[in-house]
Each structure stands twice: as structure tokens, then as C-alpha cells.
Amino acid sequence: MGLESASGNAKAGFTVSSKAVAVAAITVLFIVSLFLWTLPFQKNRLPFGEGDSAWHFAIGDSIAHNDKAAFRLPYYIGVWYYGFNKILGPFAPEYPPPSHANYALMQVLGGERFLPVFIYRAVASFLGVLAVFFVISRLFGVLPGFLAGLGLSFSLREQLTYLFGQQPTLTAVLITPVASYAWYKYLVSFYGAGSGDEGSTGGSGNKVYLFLSFTLLASQFLLHLQGFVASAVFIAVLTALMAVRFRKLPVSKSSLLHLGVAVALFAVVAAPFIAIYAGSADINVPRLGFKRLFEWGISPSLVQGSFPPSFVEFSAEYPNVLLPFLAAGLVLLLLRLLLVKNNLKELFMLSWLISAFIVLHLDVFIGIGLNRLARMLVLENYIFYSLIALTAVWLPQALSSFLKIGSRISSAAKYGLAAMLVLLLVSTSGESSYSSLKGAYGSIDRITPVQAEFAESLNSLVPEGAYVYDPSVKIVGQWRYPKMRWMLAISQRHVGRYDGGEIAGEGSFDKSQIYFLFDYSDIALFASSLQYQQQAAAWASQLQQLEQRMFNNTAPLYNGNNIRLYKYEGFGGVAA
Amino acid sequence: MGSLGGFRIGSGYVPWICGVAVMAAAAFFLFGLVGFRSIIAFAVLFVVPPLMFLGKTSLDVEEKIFFSLFIGLGLFSLVVFAVNQLLPSFRLSAVAAFVLVVLVAFLVVPKILQRRQQKLQ
């Protein structure tokens, strides 16, 4: 006895009616995701997100503003991570141009400075929903594709990555299932063992899928290295498993020639930007022990300070009610691998699972920090939500095969399970993601109108090479840091924290262009609440002491809405 | 439906065009004209340029559209960046890059394919 392949409707593309169903499913997923993921700026259009968010925006914004995409960063952004790149030196970009050029293109075509970029960031972040829909629906049908996509549109981990402003990483990583799918199609065509639509090519493989795989890899490489690495691992695992399955390496004389051309073209695109990644200060961090191989994900203690526990915790991402679906999906995958004759699609899913494990444990093998690796946890979401969704299709099918249940009952069970899953998803992660996105950056953690107004004035108040110190982050807390960086992005002038000590000690400063910003506006907001009055008074006193000590007899360049700006004229160890 | 230099906008694209129109309408409902423009810009910038090349392949419409989207996100702006190293304006480079893609897709690639076919015959 054996389980039947669940992909009858995925053969040879979609039929006319199922094509309309697929488009409708994608449209629904897109609109649900667009509504949810744009909640943080539907009412309040002021910028939001962590420091990374401001960093990426600032670069795209500078391209659109200057009408020039230069390879070097302008001064006000370049001193942020001054000397970060060991090969390219100061003012080198941290990423290849596409992510930030995309921001600039959206500004230009969208016709506004902020909103089109925010929409781009939201869409480019939730595209994982569509990527997984595409792959799962092509392999197993529209229904599981839709269910997996719906689960992902509510994914807390992806939403947090987006809110933190790490959208380029997310966009690059979410292409992984698509690039791997293209490679899968190539391998299936090479072995001539597909379900009839792959176009067996007698041992050379379908060139279109080969070149598509490498083009998608190039796209990932240019958006963010981590996406490329994830796909490279997935493709390697898939190739190895397929080679074992067919007892033959996917290599022939003509395929080697095509592969060589594809690699060469990839190299031509990637080579000019290799130094950006190779010179990064993020690589070659100490490796963690092999002990990590015995845990699936990343423990919150290992990324403490960089990510909240909810970002890495399994229970925060998958509500308990989904766990039986996930467990069943894993068991059914193994069963199908053993029992389904044409199990190439299942082999693809297994490769996905194995590669997610390898990618999430790369720190064991190479010197990459867990803070970077944690961003790739979304790979786990893609495969786990796919397995959760496939349970709705696979379980009735398995029961039908084992218990000889009629096809009508099996079909009813499938749609019943799917409806139950939709209800569970909406009532658990759907509801929680609605409330968390609606409340995201909804209070003092987002730049306020008076701060935005000041930042806009700052552009004309100080010259391009100015360095504006903000001492308040150290006094009031790290939560003010992203706001300070958003002031930088809006003003197109460098605003950095001042923690006391020497002023303008590094070589990157023009010592005649030092300014100090004293922003009491947040403190004033705190003071209006009885609960925080005492704390606000203490912060105000500390900041005032520093202001009086440094600028007692100096007239401010800007004085409005509890914000003051001074030009600094003297040098030497002023302690905060 | 229409045809342009071998790139046929076949009936297979109609549901997708309708889908994008509905998505853009949703964005209009949420964000007004800027929302609408942004979704259309997203589709035009990131899906259309690679689609001009993939339109000539034997892939089905769904594959062409999805592969185009994920290729366009990383590669179209690279072309704009490259052109901008020659032209002084980023905006002008975006237009020039689009025109370049159209020219290569509709004039250069068909000629190469034609020559290859003749060679094979």
C-alpha cells in the first residue's frame, strides 16, 4: 500500500479555473498582509523602527535627494559605522546598492518622501507569504499554499524583523524557497523524473531553471548575503539528497558547460560587491561549541540585548493549538518519504527542513555571530507553517489510504481541517499580530511631531559636515536611540549619542562643526504623567546640569518645543 | 491580447493584472493616491523588467510572474545603479535602465535566439 501524491492539481501549471482561484488566494493574502503590516503607519505617518530602520531609510533617501547613487556614503551616514569595513575603509557601504536604490526608486515613483518607502518596506517584508504560497501551491496545490501563506502573514518573528528595520535581510532570506524551487525544477528536469511537466531533457537539465536559480541567487546576494547563504545551503542539501535518491550526480558534459556559464554570470554580477561583505566587521567572531547542535533554534540567553525573548522562543511563534498540526506534518512528511513512490516533492521539503537546521547552526562551523544568525530564524517559519498547512491535505489522504475511506469523506475532512486551521490561525496569531502591529511604535518610542519639526530645521541650521551630539540617550535610556537616528535621517545631518568624555576625538570629525542637542521634549511628555513625574524631574535635572556646564552663556541656534541646539566652540574632556 | 516583439500579453496574464488592480485599490483605500502609486510602482519596477525576458521562455505565467518579482527586487535597481555611474541623474538613469531592458529584451535577445536557431538548423 502507498500514499498517493497530493499534487494532482499542481501538474502542468494551473487549469483555467484553478488559475483564478490561485490569483484570488494571492490577492486575499496580499490584502490581509498589507492591512496588517501597514498598521504601524496607517494613522501615524511619522517614521518608526529601530536604528537599522533609520539607517536603511537614510541611504535610500540620500540617493533620491541627491539624484545620485554613489558607491560611497555621504558624511552624515558614513560616520555612523565609521571604519566598519576593513577592506573598503571609511564611508564604505554596508550592503550592495539594490536595497537602498529600491527605496529611492519608490520615493521617486511613489511621489512622497516617507509613505512609499514604508509601503515598500512592508510589502518587501511580507513577500515571504507570497514566496511560500508560490512554492507550496506549485508543489502541493493552492489550498496548502494559502494556509501556509496565511500563517506567515501573522508570523510574529517576521513582523518583529520588519519592525526592527531589518527588511533587507528579510527580503533576501524570503527568496530562499523560490530560488531552491527553481533549482529543484532543474534537478527534476535533469533526472527526467518529474510528474510530466518539467520537460525531461535527457540528462542535461532544463537550462531555464538552471539560469533562473543563479539569477535568483544573484538577487539574494545583492539584497543581503544571508539570503544567498541560506539558498546555497538549501540547494546543496537538495542536490545531495537527489543524488542519493537517483544514485547519480546531476552532472553531464552539457550540464557542466551550462553550469559554468551560470556561475560565470553570477560571478560577474557579484564580484564588484564582494569586498562589502568580506570587509565586514561582523564576520570572524568566536565560534560556539558543538553543544548547540543539540538544540533546534536559538536560546533567548544567547541573543540577550539584541532580540527580545519572544523573537526566538518557539512558543511565541507557534500557538499551542498549532503544535498538533506541526507534529502531524513532520510525521506525515517522513511517512510520505518512505511510502510515496514519486517522493521528490517530499524530498524538497526534507531538504528545506535540514537546511534550516544547518543554517541556524552555522555559528558552530564558521565565525558568524548569533545576532546575525537569529534573523534567519524566519526560515524555520517558512518550513514549519508549510508543514502545518500540509497536514490539512496529507492527513485526510493518509487516513483515506490506511482506512480505505471514500474520496468524498476524505475531501470533506480536508476542507474541514483547512477551515479549522484558518479559524485557529485567525483567532490566535491573527488576533495577537493585529494588536501588536496596531500598537507598534504607538507612543513615545516613535519620533514625535516636534522632534520631526526640529529635525527638518536642523538641515538648514547646520552645515553638511556637522556632527550633532545628543547626550540624552545615556541619561534617559536606550529607547531614545532610534529616535535620535531618525533625526539624523530626516535632517540629513549626523546626530550621534554623547556618553561623556572626549569630544570629536576621532579623525572623521571636522572639529569646527560640532553641535550639541538638548532634547527635553520626551522628558516633558513623561512629566505630564503623574506616574513618571519624579523620574522625569531627575532626567531633566541631569540634562540641565550638563547643558549649563557646557553652554551657560551661549545663545542656542534653535530653541523651541523644549529642544535646544548649540554650536560647540571649545574642546577637551567634558564629562556628562 | 497584444503582442510586442515576441512578448505576448496573453490571456493568462489577465487574472494577474486584475489581481494587481485589486491590490492597488486596497492600497488606495488605505493610503490614498500615494498608496495606489506605490503598489503600481512596485509592480512596474520589480515585476515588469524581468518579465520582459522571462516572457520568452516556456515557463507558465505563474512562474514567470513570481520569478520576475524575486529577480526584479535585487537586479533591476542594480541596472539603475550601473547606468547612474554613467548618467548624472538617478531619475534619468531609472528611465534609461527601463528603456535599456526593453531594448535588450525586444531587440537584442530575439536576434540572438534567431541566430542560434539558424545555427542549429
Side-chain angles (χ1 to χ4, degrees), chain A residues 7-16 18-19 137-139 181 185 194-199 209 345, chain B residues 58-63:
Chain A
S7 56
N9 55 347
K11 281 180 185 175
F14 301 107
T15 61
V16 175
S18 69
K19 191 185 286 175
S137 66
R138 299 296 300 185
L139 295 175
Y181 168 80
K185 293 283 280 184
S195 46
D197 62 321
E198 284 85 0
Y209 287 116
K345 292 165 182 131
Chain B
S58 58
L59 303 174
D60 62 48
V61 173
E62 286 77 13
E63 285 190 326

Side-chain angles (χ1 to χ4, degrees), chain A residues 259-282:
Chain A
L259 190 66
V261 174
V263 170
L265 288 174
F266 172 85
V268 167
V269 174
F273 308 107
I274 279 175
I276 292 176
Y277 294 130
S280 159
D282 267 3

Side-chain angles (χ1 to χ4, degrees), chain A residues 95-354:
Chain A
Y95 299 98
S99 278
H100 303 125
N102 286 349
Y103 281 32
L105 286 169
M106 288 304 291
Q107 269 194 5
V108 172
L109 267 83
E112 252 192 38
R113 191 179 180 197
F114 294 107
L115 189 54
V117 180
F118 293 166
I119 292 173
Y120 168 82
R121 277 174 35 181
V123 175
S125 297
F126 72 65
L127 276 181
V129 171
L130 301 194
V132 170
F133 170 85
F134 169 67
V135 172
I136 296 298
S137 66
R138 299 296 300 185
L139 295 175
F140 301 103
V142 172
L143 182 67
F146 177 78
L147 294 172
L150 190 68
L152 285 167
S153 67
F154 302 147
S155 162
L156 173 72
R157 194 175 283 152
E158 283 191 89
Q159 287 164 358
L160 285 176
T161 312
Y162 152 66
L163 288 175
F164 294 160
Q166 291 154 359
Q167 170 266 315
T169 319
L170 192 53
T171 308
V173 172
L174 65 83
I175 298 175
T176 296
V178 182
S180 307
Y181 168 80
W183 183 252
Y184 162 83
K185 293 283 280 184
Y186 168 68
L187 288 181
V188 168
S189 69
F190 180 88
Y191 289 114
S195 46
D197 62 321
E198 284 85 0
S200 171
T201 49
S204 67
N206 188 327
K207 291 193 291 285
V208 174
Y209 287 116
L210 173 70
F211 284 101
L212 270 175
S213 306
F214 276 86
T215 313
L216 287 159
L217 283 170
S219 177
Q220 287 186 289
F221 181 89
L222 294 166
L223 289 168
H224 201 289
L225 184 64
Q226 284 183 262
F228 168 77
V229 170
S231 287
V233 172
F234 194 155
I235 283 170
V237 172
L238 179 63
T239 309
L241 289 183
M242 291 285 257
V244 171
R245 164 79 162 68
F246 289 100
R247 295 187 181 85
K248 182 187 169 190
L249 285 171
V251 179
S252 69
K253 205 174 164 186
S254 59
S255 77
L256 271 180
L257 180 71
H258 298 145
L259 190 66
V261 174
V263 170
L265 288 174
F266 172 85
V268 167
V269 174
F273 308 107
I274 279 175
I276 292 176
Y277 294 130
S280 159
D282 267 3
I283 57 170
N284 295 325
V285 299
R287 280 192 275 162
L288 292 175
F290 282 95
K291 203 171 68 178
R292 274 251 308 125
L293 289 175
F294 297 99
E295 59 180 13
W296 168 261
I298 295 171
S299 130
S301 61
L302 292 174
V303 288
Q304 204 174 12
S306 300
F307 292 96
S310 58
F311 184 80
V312 288
E313 275 169 358
F314 193 82
S315 57
E317 178 63 26
Y318 309 100
N320 286 341
V321 290
L322 296 183
L323 297 185
F325 283 87
L326 177 59
L330 283 164
V331 171
L332 287 165
L333 173 65
L334 294 176
L335 265 178
R336 294 180 67 85
L337 277 161
L338 295 171
L339 300 177
V340 172
K341 199 178 165 196
N342 185 3
N343 62 0
L344 298 184
K345 292 165 182 131
E346 286 75 14
L347 216 55
F348 178 83
M349 300 303 285
L350 181 67
S351 309
W352 196 343
L353 198 61
I354 295 171

Side-chain angles (χ1 to χ4, degrees), chain A residues 13-14 19 23 26-27 30-31 38 41-42 45 63-64 67-69 97-98 101-102 104-106 108-112 115-116 119-120 123 127 130-131 134 138 174-175 178 181-182 185 209 212 215-216 219 222-223 269 273, chain B residues 12 15-16 19-20 22-23 26-27 30-31 34-35 37-39 41-42 44-46 54 57-63 66-67 69-78 80-81 84-92 94 116:
Chain A
F14 301 107
K19 191 185 286 175
V23 176
I26 288 168
T27 309
F30 185 93
I31 291 173
T38 58
F41 57 92
Q42 281 175 17
R45 301 277 166 89
I63 295 172
D67 200 21
K68 179 76 191 168
N102 286 349
L105 286 169
M106 288 304 291
V108 172
L109 267 83
E112 252 192 38
L115 189 54
I119 292 173
Y120 168 82
V123 175
L127 276 181
L130 301 194
F134 169 67
R138 299 296 300 185
L174 65 83
I175 298 175
V178 182
Y181 168 80
K185 293 283 280 184
Y209 287 116
L212 270 175
T215 313
L216 287 159
S219 177
L222 294 166
L223 289 168
V269 174
F273 308 107
Chain B
W16 295 95
V20 172
V22 174
M23 293 171 197
L30 290 172
F31 301 108
V34 177
R37 277 178 65 163
S38 300
I39 297 300
F42 200 98
V44 170
L45 288 171
F46 307 123
L54 293 185
T57 64
S58 58
L59 303 174
D60 62 48
V61 173
E62 286 77 13
E63 285 190 326
F66 274 92
F67 285 136
L69 168 63
F70 295 109
I71 289 168
L73 278 169
L75 290 180
F76 179 67
S77 47
L78 182 74
V80 178
F81 175 84
N84 194 201
Q85 303 315 299
L86 304 171
L87 297 181
S89 157
F90 180 77
R91 284 166 178 78
L92 189 65
R116 244 192 104 212

